[in-house]
Amino acid sequence: MRILIHCLMASAVLALAACNTVQGFGQDLSSAGQSMSNSAERNK
């Protein structure tokens, strides 16, 4: 369990490091949400 928590924290740090700013992170999340929404609309 402890290893899983460490892996999740490391993944979160790497994901945040990939974005240069908080604004960039917000744009990435928005883009991911938009593509999920588009996919859901296409597969209705």
Side-chain angles (χ1 to χ4, degrees):
M1 182 68 175
R2 193 168 183 200
I3 292 173
L4 177 64
I5 291 171
H6 286 286
C7 288
L8 289 174
M9 288 190 330
S11 296
V13 168
L14 290 174
L16 289 173
C19 300
N20 290 330
T21 63
V22 173
Q23 181 181 7
F25 181 68
Q27 290 172 348
D28 291 345
L29 277 178
S30 178
S31 175
Q34 186 66 35
S35 80
M36 286 177 62
S37 180
N38 290 342
S39 178
E41 287 295 321
R42 284 193 307 261
N43 293 313
K44 273 188 173 179

